[in-house]
Amino acid sequence: MALVTMRQLLDEAAGGGYGVGAFNVNNLEQVQAIMDAARATESPVIIQASRGARKYANDRFLYHLMEAATEVYPEISVALHQDHGNSPETCRSAIELGFTSVMMDGSLMDDGKTPSDFEYNVRVTREVVEMAHEAGVTVEGELGTLGGIEDDVGSGEVNLTDPDQAVEFVERTGVDALAVAIGTSHGAYKFTKEPDREVLAMHIIEEINQRLPTTHLVMHGSSSVPKELVDIINEYGGKIDPTWGVPVREIQEGIKHGVRKVNVDTDLRLAATGAIRKAFAEDPSEFDPRYYLKPARAAMQEVVEARMVAFGQAGHAKDYDPIPLADMAIRYREQGHSLTVT
Ligand SMILES: [Zn+2]
């Protein structure tokens, strides 16, 4: 079993100067694609489930799929993370289910849509930190809001993270990781032209990293939306308008400045959809789901492997032994919320 807390995984990444992809899962093929990619590249990995995923697959199925990953791939350190928890209650249920990390997204009210105010965000995030750290579980908070709406999460409004507020937020909440808004969006339609450093407000990451050097920064909405994946979908009857994601080199720039967790979801969706459309087109007489799910799984694995290499996590799977949750709980109690594991 190689279940690891996200705190340890990110502390190790910080020590090694690399980033770690956090990939969303809803079903068996996604879990297998991500784990096969982790095995092929010897990468530690974060697999995460949104509230939408928990609803789609059912909590018990989803948890056991993720647990199976730690059994079938014992050499890989895996953190199980709740993506965009909308309330302390959602985070509590994830912890009870066995997740080793939770995100309390208090940048939005518990409807997951309405932007909240700073004091609300501090209050709910602090509540989750108290509860989670007592169990040794890692907490990610979010300050500022991203564009786009995905899985019913998001206000569609962009509010970049203010560095002064980030410092106050981390001090008052004790979060292990902080999602920052630098102009990215959830979903496939992020930019209408190729974004550069100014469009992406990379200076915000640099400033927050200078002022909070031990806080792990998280980039959401960080799919790169490769043109070749969009082209396959459109070539086989799909209709995706021209769009740009976050270039891998910009993510690498962020990793140089304290970004440790990089959320990627859309790229896997695009890869799977293109492969399925292609399979349907190539042999319309096939009706065995394995005929189209196998190439979908392979296409997802390919894109995940490429990200693992680009983010620098490749080759680091066997660097360390996971610290059990109970031991993490003791460390938080003895050293406070801002402990360093490595
Ligand atoms: Zn997100």
Side-chain angles (χ1 to χ4, degrees):
M1 292 286 277
L3 205 54
V4 67
T5 65
M6 199 170 80
R7 178 67 203 226
Q8 183 186 10
L9 187 142
L10 297 182
D11 280 352
E12 291 282 352
Y18 58 91
V20 180
F23 304 97
N24 287 77
V25 294
N26 299 275
N27 67 16
L28 171 68
E29 283 75 14
Q30 287 170 319
V31 173
Q32 290 175 329
I34 295 161
M35 294 308 297
D36 282 342
R39 173 167 281 171
T41 59
E42 299 192 353
S43 300
V45 68
I46 300 163
I47 48 185
Q48 58 185 15
S50 65
R51 273 193 301 145
R54 288 175 60 182
K55 215 162 114 187
Y56 171 81
N58 173 299
D59 272 359
R60 302 307 302 169
F61 275 111
L62 195 62
Y63 177 71
H64 284 286
L65 276 177
M66 300 199 292
E67 201 191 25
T70 67
E71 288 172 18
V72 178
Y73 306 81
E75 79 280 19
I76 303 296
S77 298
V78 190
L80 304 183
H81 178 73
Q82 164 79 55
D83 190 21
H84 287 286
N86 64 317
S87 66
E89 199 34 55
T90 297
C91 295
R92 181 188 304 279
S93 69
I95 293 166
E96 283 167 0
L97 198 55
F99 285 56
T100 61
S101 179
V102 293
M103 175 186 193
M104 176 62 234
D105 181 359
S107 72
L108 301 169
M109 301 300 290
D110 63 5
D111 64 4
K113 291 181 175 65
T114 314
S116 66
D117 64 48
F118 183 71
E119 289 303 322
Y120 169 87
N121 195 352
V122 168
R123 193 174 67 245
V124 291
T125 306
R126 177 76 197 184
E127 188 184 332
V128 171
V129 167
E130 300 283 355
M131 162 175 72
H133 284 182
E134 210 173 282
V137 169
T138 309
V139 180
E140 173 185 341
E142 172 159 337
L143 195 58
T145 55
L146 277 76
I149 297 171
E150 194 170 55
D151 273 6
D152 240 17
V153 173
S155 62
E157 208 177 285
V158 180
N159 295 293
L160 301 183
T161 306
D162 173 66
D164 289 332
Q165 272 196 345
V167 172
E168 188 186 340
F169 185 80
V170 169
E171 280 171 2
R172 288 176 63 189
T173 60
V175 286
D176 304 276
L178 181 67
V180 290
I182 57 162
T184 64
S185 299
H186 290 123
Y189 299 100
K190 300 180 194 298
F191 306 104
T192 50
K193 66 181 180 71
E194 187 166 11
D196 55 23
R197 301 199 71 194
E198 293 317 304
V199 172
L200 273 170
M202 201 58 80
H203 63 275
I204 291 179
I205 283 184
E206 289 173 20
E207 187 178 344
I208 294 174
N209 180 233
Q210 275 164 17
R211 296 176 63 182
L212 294 168
T214 59
T215 302
H216 302 304
L217 303 182
V218 183
M219 275 175 77
H220 280 239
S222 291
S223 279
S224 300
V225 195
K227 188 174 178 301
E228 58 271 25
L229 293 184
V230 173
D231 285 349
I232 294 174
I233 294 176
N234 288 340
E235 191 184 328
Y236 292 98
K239 195 178 178 304
I240 309 269
D241 292 333
T243 178
W244 278 266
V246 183
V248 168
R249 62 168 191 281
E250 296 299 322
I251 297 169
Q252 290 170 326
E253 198 58 41
I255 290 169
K256 280 187 208 150
H257 297 284
V259 169
R260 296 293 158 235
K261 175 172 179 271
V262 185
N263 287 12
V264 176
D265 186 6
T266 296
D267 285 350
L268 282 76
R269 297 180 178 201
L270 293 171
T273 299
I276 289 171
R277 280 192 174 279
K278 183 164 181 275
F280 281 157
E282 283 175 350
D283 190 349
S285 71
E286 268 290 352
F287 57 90
D288 180 345
R290 289 171 298 187
Y291 166 73
Y292 52 87
L293 290 176
K294 264 161 85 175
R297 187 171 62 190
M300 289 190 283
Q301 180 182 342
E302 191 181 330
V303 74
V304 172
E305 279 188 30
R307 296 296 174 274
M308 286 171 159
V309 170
F311 299 162
Q313 74 208 79
H316 290 286
K318 295 166 188 159
D319 286 3
Y320 51 91
D321 292 322
I323 301 168
L325 280 173
D327 293 356
M328 284 298 295
I330 293 168
R331 291 186 191 218
Y332 282 120
R333 216 174 303 141
E334 289 175 350
Q335 298 173 40
H337 297 302
S338 56
L339 84 175
T340 309
V341 178
T342 46

